[in-house]
């Protein structure tokens, strides 16, 4: 069974401080990993995915298969980063049947001025 | 930029009543999904739909649930006889054709269902 764990429900940091949102997963094959973000009163939206290896809004995430982790990092947090962050997992690309997302419980990031 | 839309935004119903939640996916998308999030809990997958049939469903998606694409634009989730525990936020999502996990799922704003 696939599972995503986000151990922190709440992470509070000051503006300019580094941020690391933790995500660990359990999956028997080669998963696709994503970070979704939900700003206040807005819909879930994709922040980044591991296959793209890109930095979005200063955030990066590296897939560590040995530790089965996909932690989200940003060196200098901004107040506008305050939101709910969800780590999610999907099956490998060749499985075109549906590719349901399995979500972690989410971490609320609060960036204080 | 096109978005997934959902109606209604809120629905209150009595236990045992039928509800239909509506979604309009992004127009060139071919895969459709329903997820739900009970207050304080994880976002959970319910069902995926492709080529006019269910492609995957979770154990939550029992006989009380059904999905339909009645007219080529709407994608609906029906709950036949609602229970108190069906109270949740229901999200619709859609994605393009393509190599499964590499394609982004785009989410609607959700419908908050309250069963009394």
């Amino acid at each position: 069974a696939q599972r995503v764990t986000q151990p922190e429900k709440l992470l509070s940091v000051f503006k300019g401080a580094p941020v690391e949102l933790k995500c660990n997963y359990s999956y028997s094959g080669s998963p696709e990993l994503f970070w979704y973000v939900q700003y206040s009163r807005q819909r879930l939206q994709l922040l980044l995915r591991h296959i793209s290896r890109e930095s979005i809004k200063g955030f990066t995430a590296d897939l560590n298969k040995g530790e089965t982790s996909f932690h989200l990092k940003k060196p200098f947090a901004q107040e506008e980063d305050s939101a709910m962050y969800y780590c999610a997992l999907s099956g490998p690309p060749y499985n075109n049947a549906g590719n349901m997302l399995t979500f972690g419980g989410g971490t609320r990031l609060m960036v204080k001025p | 930029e096109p978005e997934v839309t959902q109606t209604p935004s809120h629905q209150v119903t009595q236990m045992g009543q039928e509800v239909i939640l509506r979604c309009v996916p992004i127009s060139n998308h071919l895969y459709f999904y329903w997820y739900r999030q009970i207050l304080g809990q994880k976002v959970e997958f319910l069902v995926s739909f492709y080529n006019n049939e269910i492609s995957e469903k979770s154990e939550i998606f029992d006989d009380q649930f059904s999905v339909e694409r009645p007219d080529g634009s709407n994608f609906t989730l029906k709950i036949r006889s609602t229970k108190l525990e069906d109270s949740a936020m229901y999200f619709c999502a859609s994605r393009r054709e393509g190599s499964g996990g590499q394609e982004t799922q785009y989410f609607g704003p959700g419908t908050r269902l309250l069963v009394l």
Side-chain angles (χ1 to χ4, degrees):
Chain A
Q2 51 198 60
R3 178 183 291 180
V4 178
T5 303
Q6 293 179 250
E8 303 140 329
K9 287 191 182 296
L10 174 65
L11 184 63
S12 182
V13 301
F14 285 103
K15 176 182 170 181
V19 169
E20 183 178 52
L21 302 169
K22 291 184 167 48
C23 172
N24 289 91
Y25 67 89
S26 173
Y27 188 76
S28 58
S30 295
E32 300 290 328
L33 274 298
F34 306 83
W35 277 98
Y36 277 81
V37 61
Q38 188 172 31
Y39 300 103
S40 179
R41 301 183 189 280
Q42 295 187 27
R43 66 187 66 204
L44 273 166
Q45 55 187 283
L46 180 71
L47 180 62
L48 54 79
R49 50 191 178 180
H50 94 268
I51 200 162
S52 300
R53 298 185 182 278
E54 57 196 345
S55 173
I56 303 292
K57 299 184 179 182
F59 285 97
T60 59
D62 291 317
L63 179 61
N64 185 324
K65 292 186 179 180
E67 296 182 359
T68 59
S69 69
F70 188 57
H71 302 327
L72 183 68
K73 299 177 184 178
K74 184 169 182 176
F76 308 104
Q78 303 299 315
E79 288 180 69
E80 55 265 31
D81 296 328
S82 296
M84 197 74 180
Y85 290 80
Y86 294 95
C87 183
L89 174 156
S90 174
Y94 56 77
N95 177 11
N96 216 25
N99 287 102
M100 53 176 268
L101 288 171
T102 297
F103 285 87
T107 297
R108 181 168 299 283
L109 174 65
M110 291 179 55
V111 182
K112 297 176 287 189
Chain B
E1 185 176 334
E3 292 183 328
V4 176
T5 59
Q6 290 185 243
T7 53
S9 59
H10 295 78
Q11 177 139 12
V12 181
T13 190
Q14 295 290 325
M15 189 170 58
Q17 294 296 303
E18 175 183 286
V19 295
I20 298 176
L21 309 183
R22 291 183 167 79
C23 168
V24 179
I26 294 173
S27 63
N28 62 343
H29 287 189
L30 299 178
Y31 292 82
F32 314 115
Y33 306 82
W34 283 102
Y35 295 83
R36 79 171 186 191
Q37 186 176 29
I38 295 171
L39 190 63
Q41 298 187 24
K42 292 185 177 187
V43 177
E44 302 172 289
F45 167 77
L46 293 178
V47 65
S48 60
F49 192 85
Y50 171 71
N51 200 25
N52 283 320
E53 61 183 22
I54 290 172
S55 49
E56 283 180 296
K57 61 182 181 179
S58 71
E59 61 274 12
I60 302 169
F61 194 87
D62 61 20
D63 292 343
Q64 292 299 311
F65 291 88
S66 62
V67 289
E68 194 178 28
R69 189 155 162 80
D71 57 13
S73 63
N74 289 283
F75 178 52
T76 62
L77 174 70
K78 182 193 292 187
I79 310 174
R80 283 191 190 80
S81 177
T82 50
K83 303 188 281 283
L84 296 176
E85 53 265 37
D86 293 327
S87 295
M89 181 73 100
Y90 288 81
F91 295 105
C92 174
S94 69
R95 70 168 174 88
R96 298 182 308 180
E97 183 81 74
S99 299
Q102 295 181 22
E103 291 296 332
T104 301
Q105 291 187 25
Y106 291 85
F107 283 78
T111 293
R112 185 168 295 285
L113 176 65
L114 178 60
V115 182
L116 301 176

